Amino acid sequence: MNTIEEVLESKDIRITAMRLLIYKFLAEKEVAVTLSDIENAFEKADRTTLYRTVKTFEDKGIVHQIDDGTGITKYALCEKGCNCEIETDLHLHFHCINCNKTICLTDHKIPQIKVPDGFVSENVNLVVKGICDKCSS
Amino acid sequence: MNTIEEVLESKDIRITAMRLLIYKFLAEKEVAVTLSDIENAFEKADRTTLYRTVKTFEDKGIVHQIDDGTGITKYALCEKGCNCEIETDLHLHFHCINCNKTICLTDHKIPQIKVPDGFVSENVNLVVKGICDKCSS
DNA sequence: AATCAACTGCAATGGAAGTGCATTTTTAGC
DNA sequence: GCTAAAAATGCACTTCCATTGCAGTTGATT
Ligand SMILES: [Mn+2]
Ligand SMILES: [Mn+2]
Ligand SMILES: [Zn+2]
Ligand SMILES: [Zn+2]
């Protein structure tokens, strides 16, 4: 169990109050969040700072972007040991069309996808849309 | 072999000069197009008209949207007999990170995706990013 | 030809992503 | 501790795309 400080330092991310708060916010969420979600949670902070903070997190490899088809990019913390940067982010994402939440299904890996001759696959984005467990019960 | 007029009428889309031209434009393209692509091809027409035309095509089920992750929605004609509206659009899409083109791989079907208990899958969006056949040769 | 509905064009809006620059905070060297 | 440099933050502004309201035009129907 590492502290947040240790996680950030291990990725060469300098520690600031803002970053600790945003990291904690992301860690507490079980769903992917939009920039607006973060904005609403930290009304005193400027949107640009929040934007650049998650961007830094993403660049350093502790957050990954999710395009779930809503047109609004969402963000989620990477799992321990994840390396989205190097190879494709292997897990799939679920987007609930009822509650609009998007969830990382981190242990549902994306199957190998065949592409025609001449095509070279480098990355795969797989989003399943439907009804989540909470909305279907 | 149906004429464009017959296709449109069979889907309850009224025939106008604009719609015939746009349909023909889409049919000639082997890749998915953005609204700007259409705009550039029809500079005399208003962007709104083009927008609403593809939207009508989409609502009536002869065009499907593609979200390839670039943030710009693309459009492509549905194949004959396709029914994206009813069930999931089964084929996958390939987005070339070199030439920025997005292609329907209509005979590459999306494999069955397992989701956890309680989740109900209704639709799947699968985009493969990489290098297309023309750019890799 | 008249009428009504659908289509088109123009203008404006809104949302989200991104950038330039000034200010503040943090770090590091002395 | 003090100072200079570097990094982070806040504010203003821009750009790009999607979308809508409304007025004018076109097309279908009688
Ligand atoms: Mn994820
Ligand atoms: Mn397609
Ligand atoms: Zn839900
Ligand atoms: Zn290409």
Side-chain angles (χ1 to χ4, degrees):
Chain A
M1 208 57 235
N2 294 343
T3 66
I4 299 179
E5 282 89 347
E6 284 168 349
V7 173
L8 296 185
E9 278 175 349
S10 76
K11 295 284 186 172
D12 279 318
I13 301 168
R14 293 163 70 175
I15 292 165
T16 69
M18 207 63 254
R19 288 173 177 178
L20 289 172
L21 287 171
I22 294 177
Y23 188 98
K24 200 178 294 180
F25 176 75
L26 292 171
E28 282 166 357
K29 286 282 187 179
E30 76 286 6
V31 298
V33 300
T34 66
L35 195 58
S36 297
D37 292 334
I38 305 175
E39 217 180 331
N40 292 334
F42 300 98
E43 303 206 329
K44 284 176 293 189
D46 188 76
R47 215 194 80 254
T48 312
T49 304
L50 304 172
Y51 170 75
R52 285 197 262 233
T53 299
V54 287
K55 206 126 224 285
T56 300
F57 284 179
E58 194 196 346
D59 291 344
K60 299 293 187 174
I62 62 170
V63 155
H64 62 280
Q65 268 195 33
I66 302 160
D67 173 13
D68 61 10
T70 57
I72 302 163
T73 48
K74 295 183 179 175
Y75 303 91
L77 279 187
C78 293
E79 297 287 298
K80 239 187 259 294
C82 148
N83 43 8
C84 330
E85 340 90 75
I86 305 177
E87 51 184 312
T88 171
D89 190 272
L90 298 154
H91 67 277
L92 63 95
H93 294 115
F94 188 93
H95 173 64
C96 178
I97 56 181
N98 183 248
C99 67
N100 200 34
K101 286 185 175 133
T102 295
I103 305 166
C104 293
L105 298 179
T106 43
D107 34 56
H108 283 65
K109 302 307 180 193
I110 294 180
Q112 189 66 23
I113 304 295
K114 270 205 199 73
V115 290
D117 282 351
F119 289 78
V120 182
S121 161
E122 293 199 359
N123 203 329
V124 178
N125 182 35
L126 176 45
V127 179
V128 178
K129 289 188 210 309
I131 311 292
C132 76
D133 54 345
K134 278 161 193 157
C135 289
S136 72
S137 61
Chain B
M1 209 58 233
N2 293 343
T3 66
I4 299 179
E5 282 88 347
E6 284 168 348
V7 174
L8 296 185
E9 277 175 349
S10 75
K11 296 283 188 174
D12 279 318
I13 301 169
R14 293 164 68 174
I15 293 166
T16 70
M18 207 64 253
R19 288 174 178 176
L20 290 172
L21 286 170
I22 294 176
Y23 187 98
K24 199 176 297 182
F25 175 75
L26 292 172
E28 282 166 357
K29 287 282 186 179
E30 75 288 4
V31 298
V33 299
T34 66
L35 193 58
S36 296
D37 291 334
I38 305 175
E39 217 181 332
N40 292 334
F42 300 97
E43 302 206 330
K44 283 177 294 189
D46 188 78
R47 180 188 175 78
T48 314
T49 303
L50 304 172
Y51 170 74
R52 285 197 264 234
T53 299
V54 288
K55 205 127 226 279
T56 299
F57 284 178
E58 194 196 347
D59 291 344
K60 299 293 188 174
I62 62 171
V63 155
H64 63 279
Q65 267 195 31
I66 303 161
D67 173 13
D68 61 10
T70 57
I72 302 163
T73 48
K74 295 183 177 173
Y75 303 90
L77 278 187
C78 293
E79 296 288 299
K80 238 185 261 291
C82 147
N83 42 10
C84 331
E85 341 89 75
I86 305 177
E87 53 182 310
T88 170
D89 189 270
L90 299 153
H91 67 275
L92 63 94
H93 293 117
F94 189 93
H95 173 65
C96 179
I97 56 181
N98 183 248
C99 66
N100 200 35
K101 287 190 175 128
T102 296
I103 305 166
C104 293
L105 298 179
T106 42
D107 34 55
H108 283 64
K109 302 307 180 190
I110 294 179
Q112 189 66 24
I113 304 295
K114 272 205 198 71
V115 290
D117 282 351
F119 288 78
V120 182
S121 161
E122 294 199 358
N123 204 328
V124 179
N125 182 36
L126 176 46
V127 178
V128 178
K129 289 190 212 307
I131 310 292
C132 78
D133 54 345
K134 278 161 195 158
C135 289
S136 72
S137 62

